[in-house]
Short mmCIF file of all heavy atoms in Angstrom, two decimals:
data_model
loop_
_atom_site.label_atom_id
_atom_site.label_comp_id
_atom_site.label_asym_id
_atom_site.label_seq_id
_atom_site.Cartn_x
_atom_site.Cartn_y
_atom_site.Cartn_z
N VAL A 113 -28.48 -17.69 -85.67
CA VAL A 113 -27.24 -18.47 -85.56
C VAL A 113 -26.09 -17.66 -86.13
O VAL A 113 -25.01 -17.66 -85.55
CB VAL A 113 -27.37 -19.80 -86.35
CG1 VAL A 113 -26.03 -20.63 -86.34
CG2 VAL A 113 -28.48 -20.67 -85.64
N ASP A 114 -26.23 -16.94 -87.25
CA ASP A 114 -25.19 -16.12 -87.80
C ASP A 114 -24.76 -14.96 -86.88
O ASP A 114 -23.63 -14.62 -86.89
CB ASP A 114 -25.66 -15.69 -89.15
CG ASP A 114 -25.33 -16.58 -90.26
OD1 ASP A 114 -24.95 -17.77 -89.94
OD2 ASP A 114 -25.67 -16.33 -91.44
N MET A 115 -25.75 -14.49 -86.03
CA MET A 115 -25.43 -13.45 -85.09
C MET A 115 -24.42 -14.04 -84.11
O MET A 115 -23.37 -13.41 -83.83
CB MET A 115 -26.73 -13.05 -84.30
CG MET A 115 -27.63 -12.25 -85.13
SD MET A 115 -27.11 -10.62 -85.62
CE MET A 115 -26.83 -10.90 -87.44
N GLY A 116 -24.56 -15.33 -83.65
CA GLY A 116 -23.68 -15.98 -82.72
C GLY A 116 -22.31 -16.22 -83.48
O GLY A 116 -21.31 -16.02 -82.93
N ARG A 117 -22.41 -16.70 -84.68
CA ARG A 117 -21.12 -17.02 -85.36
C ARG A 117 -20.35 -15.74 -85.65
O ARG A 117 -19.02 -15.87 -85.58
CB ARG A 117 -21.52 -17.64 -86.74
CG ARG A 117 -22.04 -19.04 -86.59
CD ARG A 117 -22.63 -19.59 -87.94
NE ARG A 117 -21.56 -19.69 -88.88
CZ ARG A 117 -20.66 -20.72 -88.99
NH1 ARG A 117 -20.81 -21.74 -88.22
NH2 ARG A 117 -19.89 -20.70 -90.02
N GLN A 118 -20.90 -14.64 -85.77
CA GLN A 118 -20.18 -13.39 -85.91
C GLN A 118 -19.54 -12.92 -84.63
O GLN A 118 -18.38 -12.42 -84.63
CB GLN A 118 -21.05 -12.27 -86.41
CG GLN A 118 -21.52 -12.39 -87.95
CD GLN A 118 -22.81 -11.77 -88.26
OE1 GLN A 118 -23.33 -10.81 -87.57
NE2 GLN A 118 -23.45 -12.15 -89.37
N ILE A 119 -20.07 -13.29 -83.50
CA ILE A 119 -19.51 -13.00 -82.28
C ILE A 119 -18.27 -13.95 -81.96
O ILE A 119 -17.26 -13.55 -81.50
CB ILE A 119 -20.57 -13.07 -81.10
CG1 ILE A 119 -21.51 -11.93 -81.29
CG2 ILE A 119 -19.89 -12.89 -79.71
CD1 ILE A 119 -22.75 -12.19 -80.45
N ALA A 120 -18.55 -15.13 -82.37
CA ALA A 120 -17.44 -16.20 -82.21
C ALA A 120 -16.24 -15.80 -83.11
O ALA A 120 -15.10 -15.90 -82.71
CB ALA A 120 -17.91 -17.70 -82.68
N GLU A 121 -16.52 -15.37 -84.32
CA GLU A 121 -15.45 -14.88 -85.20
C GLU A 121 -14.71 -13.70 -84.56
O GLU A 121 -13.45 -13.63 -84.65
CB GLU A 121 -15.94 -14.56 -86.51
CG GLU A 121 -14.87 -14.18 -87.57
CD GLU A 121 -15.55 -13.93 -88.88
OE1 GLU A 121 -16.77 -13.70 -89.08
OE2 GLU A 121 -14.67 -14.10 -89.82
N ALA A 122 -15.43 -12.79 -83.79
CA ALA A 122 -14.70 -11.66 -83.31
C ALA A 122 -13.82 -12.06 -82.06
O ALA A 122 -12.79 -11.38 -81.87
CB ALA A 122 -15.75 -10.66 -82.76
N ILE A 123 -14.15 -13.17 -81.48
CA ILE A 123 -13.33 -13.59 -80.42
C ILE A 123 -12.18 -14.51 -80.82
O ILE A 123 -11.07 -14.29 -80.31
CB ILE A 123 -14.28 -14.39 -79.35
CG1 ILE A 123 -15.23 -13.62 -78.65
CG2 ILE A 123 -13.38 -15.15 -78.23
CD1 ILE A 123 -16.31 -14.23 -77.76
N PHE A 124 -12.49 -15.44 -81.62
CA PHE A 124 -11.43 -16.44 -82.15
C PHE A 124 -10.92 -16.18 -83.44
O PHE A 124 -9.83 -16.80 -83.84
CB PHE A 124 -12.15 -17.80 -82.14
CG PHE A 124 -12.66 -18.27 -80.81
CD1 PHE A 124 -14.01 -18.17 -80.56
CD2 PHE A 124 -11.76 -18.76 -79.83
CE1 PHE A 124 -14.47 -18.60 -79.25
CE2 PHE A 124 -12.35 -19.25 -78.55
CZ PHE A 124 -13.65 -19.15 -78.29
N GLY A 125 -11.49 -15.43 -84.35
CA GLY A 125 -11.13 -15.33 -85.71
C GLY A 125 -11.69 -16.52 -86.54
O GLY A 125 -11.32 -16.69 -87.59
N ASP A 126 -12.63 -17.27 -85.90
CA ASP A 126 -13.18 -18.39 -86.48
C ASP A 126 -14.65 -18.56 -86.19
O ASP A 126 -14.99 -18.80 -84.97
CB ASP A 126 -12.38 -19.65 -86.11
CG ASP A 126 -12.81 -20.98 -86.66
OD1 ASP A 126 -13.87 -20.95 -87.50
OD2 ASP A 126 -12.23 -21.98 -86.49
N PRO A 127 -15.58 -18.44 -87.11
CA PRO A 127 -16.97 -18.44 -86.74
C PRO A 127 -17.52 -19.89 -86.41
O PRO A 127 -18.59 -19.95 -85.87
CB PRO A 127 -17.63 -17.95 -88.08
CG PRO A 127 -16.76 -18.26 -89.19
CD PRO A 127 -15.38 -18.10 -88.60
N ASP A 128 -16.62 -20.90 -86.66
CA ASP A 128 -17.05 -22.29 -86.37
C ASP A 128 -16.72 -22.63 -84.99
O ASP A 128 -17.16 -23.76 -84.62
CB ASP A 128 -16.33 -23.28 -87.34
CG ASP A 128 -16.81 -23.11 -88.82
OD1 ASP A 128 -17.92 -22.80 -88.90
OD2 ASP A 128 -15.99 -23.36 -89.62
N LYS A 129 -16.13 -21.82 -84.23
CA LYS A 129 -15.83 -22.14 -82.79
C LYS A 129 -17.11 -21.73 -81.96
O LYS A 129 -17.01 -20.87 -81.14
CB LYS A 129 -14.55 -21.47 -82.25
CG LYS A 129 -13.31 -22.05 -82.89
CD LYS A 129 -12.04 -21.68 -82.25
CE LYS A 129 -10.92 -22.37 -82.76
NZ LYS A 129 -9.67 -22.16 -81.98
N ILE A 130 -18.11 -22.44 -82.21
CA ILE A 130 -19.39 -22.17 -81.60
C ILE A 130 -20.04 -23.49 -81.21
O ILE A 130 -20.08 -24.42 -82.06
CB ILE A 130 -20.29 -21.30 -82.38
CG1 ILE A 130 -21.63 -20.85 -81.76
CG2 ILE A 130 -20.69 -22.05 -83.77
CD1 ILE A 130 -22.33 -19.73 -82.53
N GLN A 131 -20.61 -23.54 -80.05
CA GLN A 131 -21.44 -24.72 -79.64
C GLN A 131 -22.96 -24.25 -79.48
O GLN A 131 -23.25 -23.30 -78.90
CB GLN A 131 -21.02 -25.21 -78.23
CG GLN A 131 -21.89 -26.33 -77.75
CD GLN A 131 -21.52 -26.73 -76.31
OE1 GLN A 131 -20.40 -26.57 -75.88
NE2 GLN A 131 -22.34 -27.49 -75.60
N ILE A 132 -23.78 -24.98 -80.24
CA ILE A 132 -25.22 -24.66 -80.24
C ILE A 132 -25.93 -25.49 -79.22
O ILE A 132 -25.89 -26.77 -79.29
CB ILE A 132 -25.76 -24.81 -81.68
CG1 ILE A 132 -25.04 -23.86 -82.61
CG2 ILE A 132 -27.27 -24.61 -81.63
CD1 ILE A 132 -25.60 -24.00 -84.06
N LYS A 133 -26.62 -24.86 -78.38
CA LYS A 133 -27.38 -25.54 -77.27
C LYS A 133 -28.83 -25.22 -77.54
O LYS A 133 -29.22 -24.01 -77.35
CB LYS A 133 -26.95 -25.18 -75.93
CG LYS A 133 -27.63 -25.81 -74.80
CD LYS A 133 -26.96 -25.52 -73.46
CE LYS A 133 -27.61 -26.26 -72.25
NZ LYS A 133 -26.99 -26.00 -71.01
N VAL A 134 -29.67 -26.24 -77.77
CA VAL A 134 -31.10 -25.88 -78.01
C VAL A 134 -31.81 -25.81 -76.76
O VAL A 134 -31.72 -26.64 -75.75
CB VAL A 134 -31.71 -27.04 -78.83
CG1 VAL A 134 -33.26 -26.98 -78.87
CG2 VAL A 134 -31.14 -27.13 -80.18
N ILE A 135 -32.58 -24.71 -76.56
CA ILE A 135 -33.25 -24.28 -75.26
C ILE A 135 -34.70 -24.05 -75.59
O ILE A 135 -35.01 -23.63 -76.73
CB ILE A 135 -32.58 -23.13 -74.54
CG1 ILE A 135 -32.57 -21.90 -75.52
CG2 ILE A 135 -31.19 -23.47 -74.13
CD1 ILE A 135 -31.98 -20.62 -74.88
N GLY A 136 -35.60 -24.24 -74.68
CA GLY A 136 -36.99 -23.95 -74.88
C GLY A 136 -37.21 -22.51 -74.74
O GLY A 136 -36.41 -21.67 -74.19
N TYR A 137 -38.27 -21.92 -75.41
CA TYR A 137 -38.59 -20.51 -75.40
C TYR A 137 -38.74 -20.00 -73.97
O TYR A 137 -38.31 -18.88 -73.65
CB TYR A 137 -39.89 -20.29 -76.14
CG TYR A 137 -39.67 -19.72 -77.57
CD1 TYR A 137 -39.06 -20.59 -78.55
CD2 TYR A 137 -40.02 -18.36 -77.84
CE1 TYR A 137 -38.81 -19.88 -79.77
CE2 TYR A 137 -39.66 -17.91 -79.12
CZ TYR A 137 -39.09 -18.76 -80.11
OH TYR A 137 -38.87 -18.24 -81.22
N ASP A 138 -39.29 -20.96 -72.98
CA ASP A 138 -39.39 -20.52 -71.59
C ASP A 138 -38.12 -20.63 -70.88
O ASP A 138 -38.13 -20.29 -69.64
CB ASP A 138 -40.54 -21.34 -70.97
CG ASP A 138 -40.19 -22.80 -71.03
OD1 ASP A 138 -39.43 -23.22 -71.78
OD2 ASP A 138 -40.96 -23.49 -70.25
N LYS A 139 -37.09 -20.95 -71.46
CA LYS A 139 -35.69 -20.97 -70.86
C LYS A 139 -34.73 -20.02 -71.32
O LYS A 139 -33.56 -20.14 -71.01
CB LYS A 139 -35.16 -22.53 -71.04
CG LYS A 139 -35.93 -23.52 -70.45
CD LYS A 139 -36.30 -23.46 -68.98
CE LYS A 139 -37.04 -24.75 -68.40
NZ LYS A 139 -37.25 -24.42 -66.97
N ARG A 140 -35.19 -19.13 -72.27
CA ARG A 140 -34.23 -18.12 -72.84
C ARG A 140 -33.63 -17.27 -71.78
O ARG A 140 -32.45 -17.10 -71.72
CB ARG A 140 -34.87 -17.42 -73.88
CG ARG A 140 -35.28 -18.22 -75.08
CD ARG A 140 -35.93 -17.54 -76.17
NE ARG A 140 -37.31 -16.93 -75.72
CZ ARG A 140 -38.02 -16.16 -76.44
NH1 ARG A 140 -37.66 -15.76 -77.69
NH2 ARG A 140 -39.17 -15.71 -75.92
#
Side-chain angles (χ1 to χ4, degrees):
V113 176
D114 279 2
M115 292 293 106
R117 290 171 63 83
Q118 289 158 15
I119 295 166
E121 185 171 22
I123 294 173
F124 298 101
D126 183 353
D128 291 330
K129 289 196 172 182
I130 187 168
Q131 174 183 342
I132 296 175
K133 184 173 183 179
V134 173
I135 56 177
Y137 258 67
D138 58 344
K139 301 296 183 184
R140 293 178 299 175

